[in-house]
Amino acid sequence: MRALAFGAALALSSAAYGQDVAKEIQRYRQMVAEGSPAELFELEGETLWQKPQGPKNVSLERCDLGEGPGVLKGAYAHLPRYFKDADRVMDLETRLLYCMTALQGRSREEATARVFGTADRASEFELLSAYIAGQSRGVAIRPGISHPKENASYELGRALYFHRVGAWDFSCASCHGEEGKRIRMQDLPVLYQPQYARPVLATWPAYRVSTSQFVTLQWRMNDCYRQMRTPEPTFGSETTVALIHFLTATAQGETYQGPGSKR
Amino acid sequence: MAAGPMKMRASLGAGFTEVRVLMTHPMETGLRKDADGKIVPQHFIQNLTVKVNGTTVMDAQISQAVSRNPVFSFRLKGGAKGDKIEVSWLDNHGESAAIEAAVA
């Protein structure tokens, strides 16, 4: 009887402990969100957006992100989408790369030499993403899903999400496929379900506190594939764009909140 | 490294002014090593000064214990709409930056 009572008390205290941890994690996340320096990256991104660069020495201000040349308001919330001039579906970063080559006359090699930055120096794509995504605050997420190529991209993204690859036979769903899973203190959202995808896609790109870096969705795809031990995907490839397209379409209808913060 | 941007918001509360300021700074502790195994020298903000309409109201000494790209949030007693708040920092390399905003 004594042993039984002791066992019950132990079970109770560990449940209370679990709740405390969850509450503390929640508090920590709130503090991280309040102290996010994402806005500093937005400011730097704005300067870069207006800075003339490349052989043609022009800025990106005439770049058409889908809402017309130079229109930024709500542009990010409506990406990825099909672009007639490039005849393919593009996410923000892929579109920026297109503008760097088409508008500024830069070579793809030069423009993609440094797509992901460091804590000491953010990349162009990171700074520009921060600024442009910030211009979609309060706009409902609505990527293109009507053109046949948009449908194909969405379907490809969905298939890739569940497709197991590499030496470890991993798919996105291996980690993000079951409810209630986490790695250390990170909850693993089931991203093919709208209720999980919505809050996530509403806060990417984001400032990452643990590395003091601003990170983008192309980086996230790249790093997930690295963790899955696949060869490195090409920046702005059909694969990474399709995955971003699938995830964003799953989150559609959610109000975009602007660059967020991650642990 | 040239000083990066700063951003500040100052809003009026009930009998106080809420200030939130973001600053770009590497805040190197002097304990970290770079890729070549060499110690990255100390580089951190030492002094933080807050002025209201030109009068210093706060002078803070901070250290390497503060994170990279720090955010400071504090309340000042009183205040009125349009008061000019100026926040500046000075680091151990003698570099500095400042930002000014009116209370909204």
Side-chain angles (χ1 to χ4, degrees):
Chain A
M1 187 62 218
R2 211 173 174 186
L4 193 70
F6 176 72
L10 196 72
L12 199 74
S13 71
S14 76
Y17 173 75
Q19 256 174 17
D20 277 358
V21 169
K23 223 167 83 185
E24 284 304 300
I25 290 174
Q26 194 55 41
R27 199 168 73 91
Y28 165 74
R29 281 191 194 141
Q30 196 185 337
M31 285 167 73
V32 163
E34 282 167 5
S36 171
E39 283 173 64
L40 295 173
F41 292 84
E42 291 182 38
L43 288 173
E44 284 194 70
E46 184 176 8
T47 311
L48 187 58
W49 175 256
Q50 295 158 352
K51 184 183 164 194
Q53 284 201 96
K56 295 186 189 169
N57 200 33
V58 290
S59 73
L60 288 168
E61 286 167 294
R62 297 302 296 160
C63 180
D64 183 356
L65 297 171
E67 305 288 304
V71 181
L72 294 179
K73 179 74 192 159
Y76 178 70
H78 301 151
L79 288 166
R81 70 199 287 171
Y82 173 76
F83 286 92
K84 209 174 170 191
D85 51 14
D87 191 32
R88 64 168 288 202
V89 173
M90 292 172 150
D91 69 333
L92 174 62
E93 289 159 86
T94 314
R95 188 63 186 170
L96 286 171
L97 177 57
Y98 177 86
C99 287
M100 286 173 187
T101 51
L103 230 59
Q104 298 184 318
R106 298 161 65 179
S107 72
R108 197 192 147 84
E109 290 65 43
E110 184 268 329
T112 57
R114 194 169 174 280
V115 287
F116 307 127
T118 61
D120 292 321
R121 195 158 70 88
S123 80
E124 280 188 72
F125 292 94
E126 289 157 354
L127 296 172
L128 292 168
S129 295
Y131 170 55
I132 295 160
Q135 304 298 308
S136 279
R137 261 191 208 91
V139 180
I141 296 175
R142 257 185 228 300
I145 36 165
S146 51
H147 190 278
K149 289 216 174 180
E150 289 170 346
N151 286 327
S153 168
Y154 172 86
E155 289 302 332
L156 174 65
R158 189 181 168 79
L160 283 167
Y161 189 88
F162 296 99
H163 186 61
R164 304 203 317 204
V165 289
W168 284 6
D169 204 22
F170 257 56
S171 73
C172 306
S174 300
C175 293
H176 299 276
E178 245 180 289
E179 288 183 37
K181 297 279 179 204
R182 62 183 172 87
I183 294 177
R184 284 178 282 174
M185 60 179 277
Q186 282 304 106
D187 290 325
L188 291 166
V190 186
L191 293 169
Y192 66 88
Q193 291 182 11
Q195 78 264 32
Y196 291 103
R198 280 165 166 259
V200 172
L201 272 295
T203 51
W204 272 89
Y207 182 76
R208 201 166 177 206
V209 180
S210 57
T211 56
S212 309
Q213 273 175 271
F214 192 85
V215 287
T216 65
L217 276 173
Q218 280 288 339
W219 173 83
R220 185 63 272 171
M221 299 303 126
N222 184 292
D223 202 56
C224 274
Y225 273 126
R226 180 190 64 79
Q227 289 169 322
M228 288 157 69
R229 306 298 191 271
T230 71
E232 188 175 1
T234 305
F235 182 80
S237 70
E238 208 182 338
T239 303
T240 50
V241 172
L243 271 171
I244 292 169
H245 195 181
F246 168 62
L247 297 174
T248 313
T250 307
Q252 69 171 313
E254 184 74 8
T255 304
Y256 184 67
Q257 290 165 19
S261 55
K262 310 283 166 191
R263 63 117 193 132
Chain B
M1 195 184 94
M6 286 175 80
K7 186 153 186 172
M8 175 159 73
R9 261 193 294 271
S11 51
L12 205 58
F16 61 87
T17 306
E18 178 103 43
V19 181
R20 186 169 174 269
V21 57
L22 289 82
M23 44 197 83
T24 313
H25 202 281
M27 297 299 285
E28 284 294 349
T29 59
L31 299 172
R32 199 167 68 89
K33 286 177 180 166
D34 64 14
D36 304 326
K38 277 187 282 192
I39 296 245
V40 182
Q42 284 190 333
H43 189 194
F44 59 93
I45 296 174
Q46 277 183 319
N47 290 292
L48 202 63
T49 309
V50 182
K51 286 180 181 174
V52 179
N53 294 327
T55 314
T56 303
V57 294
M58 187 168 91
D59 214 345
Q61 275 102 51
I62 62 166
S63 73
Q64 315 94 299
V66 174
S67 80
R68 181 188 283 261
N69 301 330
V71 177
F72 290 94
S73 181
F74 46 85
R75 285 177 175 187
L76 302 170
K77 256 187 192 168
K81 262 195 179 136
D83 272 1
K84 262 200 291 184
I85 311 246
E86 190 196 317
V87 176
S88 59
W89 58 255
L90 174 71
D91 70 18
N92 65 328
H93 289 190
E95 290 168 11
S96 66
I99 189 169
E100 200 180 89
V103 177

